[in-house]
Amino acid sequence: ETGVTQTPRHLVMGMTNKKSLKCEQHLGHNAMYWYKQSAKKPLELMFVYSLEERVENNSVPSRFSPECPNSSHLFLHLHTLQPEDSALYLCASSQLASRYGYTFGSGTRLTVV
Amino acid sequence: DAKTTQPPSMDCAEGRAANLPCNHSTISGNEYVYWYRQIHSQGPQYIIHGLKNNETNEMASLIITEDRKSSTLILPHATLRDTAVYYCIVRVAVVPGTYKYIFGTGTRLKVLA
């Protein structure tokens, strides 16, 4: 257990469904991140939140909608996804202005059918 | 783009030291080098980080060259459980105090029995 918890661990959804991924951190961090990892590819940064404000959106399609209601929680709302969106979605957190690195969750394995 | 380059793969005999190199020739004077590893389909796990001095912890040692343009991660006695993809990362500032990791393809280390 890293202190960053992602739920669910696995998700299968149809292309017309709406679902949400949840990330919760118990480390007192104040920055949170979403990454996507497709098969055989490096991790791709999707969104960066700093003090609950989105500070980076890495050209992510609008069918992915992040939400950070407080510094401990991060959501990724999904709608009208495509099969190519099937991937491992990873959440991470960190402390601002700290030399210590990210702490990652275990990820949500998403399959779009 | 990632600010680091690593060999795509390496093998190491069990019980021997694994030395994983990384080039980061464009690193700035105040940027840290971070190492993470990812075991199949799990979230990346923090290993170690450093600025200019060599560092050691219970998992590994990090050797940074004097000009800081390259570094080597050393796993002193590799075990089969060290088989993973190892990432060397130089973080990039998003806004003051908030950093992002840009992942490259990493080095796939295979520890052989």
Side-chain angles (χ1 to χ4, degrees):
Chain A
E1 194 58 54
T2 65
V4 179
T5 303
Q6 291 188 242
T7 53
R9 292 296 306 274
H10 300 273
L11 177 63
V12 179
M13 60 185 288
M15 289 189 284
T16 58
N17 291 158
K18 289 186 180 180
K19 297 285 185 184
S20 296
L21 310 185
K22 179 182 176 183
C23 176
E24 183 174 3
Q25 59 94 4
H26 306 276
L27 302 169
H29 289 167
N30 46 21
M32 297 187 79
Y33 314 82
W34 279 116
Y35 280 83
K36 173 186 176 182
Q37 187 173 32
S38 303
K40 311 260 185 215
K41 289 188 176 180
L43 281 77
E44 301 171 54
L45 179 64
M46 300 176 74
F47 301 104
V48 177
Y49 274 84
S50 173
L51 298 172
E52 302 153 40
E53 179 182 347
R54 191 192 315 176
V55 295
E56 177 136 330
N57 175 346
N58 216 23
S59 302
V60 179
S62 59
R63 57 185 184 270
F64 295 91
S65 175
E67 179 190 5
C68 187
N70 55 62
S71 59
S72 299
H73 293 87
L74 184 66
F75 295 89
L76 188 63
H77 303 299
L78 316 171
H79 66 96
T80 326
L81 293 194
Q82 305 298 313
E84 59 265 29
D85 296 322
S86 298
L88 180 68
Y89 288 84
L90 290 157
C91 172
S93 69
S94 70
Q95 184 66 27
L96 292 178
S98 168
R99 63 184 177 90
Y100 294 100
Y102 289 8
T103 301
F104 282 87
S106 299
T108 295
R109 172 68 62 187
L110 173 67
T111 303
V112 181
V113 297
Chain B
D1 290 346
K3 296 180 72 171
T4 60
T5 55
Q6 301 175 251
S9 63
M10 294 180 64
D11 291 342
C12 176
E14 188 178 20
R16 303 297 295 270
N19 296 284
L20 292 92
C22 179
N23 287 321
H24 31 81
S25 57
T26 61
I27 195 170
S28 300
N30 59 350
E31 290 178 326
Y32 283 81
V33 179
Y34 294 82
W35 284 84
Y36 280 74
R37 72 181 182 185
Q38 187 177 26
I39 296 170
H40 182 64
S41 292
Q42 297 180 21
Q45 176 192 22
Y46 166 82
I47 301 172
I48 200 167
H49 73 279
L51 182 62
K52 50 185 163 184
N53 297 321
N54 298 337
E55 302 287 345
T56 295
N57 63 21
E58 64 278 4
M59 289 183 69
S61 294
L62 176 61
I63 308 298
I64 302 175
T65 58
E66 194 167 340
D67 64 7
R68 303 212 324 118
K69 293 185 176 182
S70 65
S71 60
T72 301
L73 179 75
I74 301 172
L75 308 178
H77 306 286
T79 70
L80 298 178
R81 284 181 290 183
D82 292 322
T83 293
V85 179
Y86 288 76
Y87 297 100
C88 168
I89 301 163
V90 174
R91 65 184 187 181
V92 176
V94 179
V95 294
T98 304
Y99 300 89
K100 62 182 179 183
Y101 291 172
I102 305 298
F103 283 79
T105 51
T107 295
R108 186 172 296 277
L109 175 69
K110 188 172 182 181
V111 180
L112 305 172

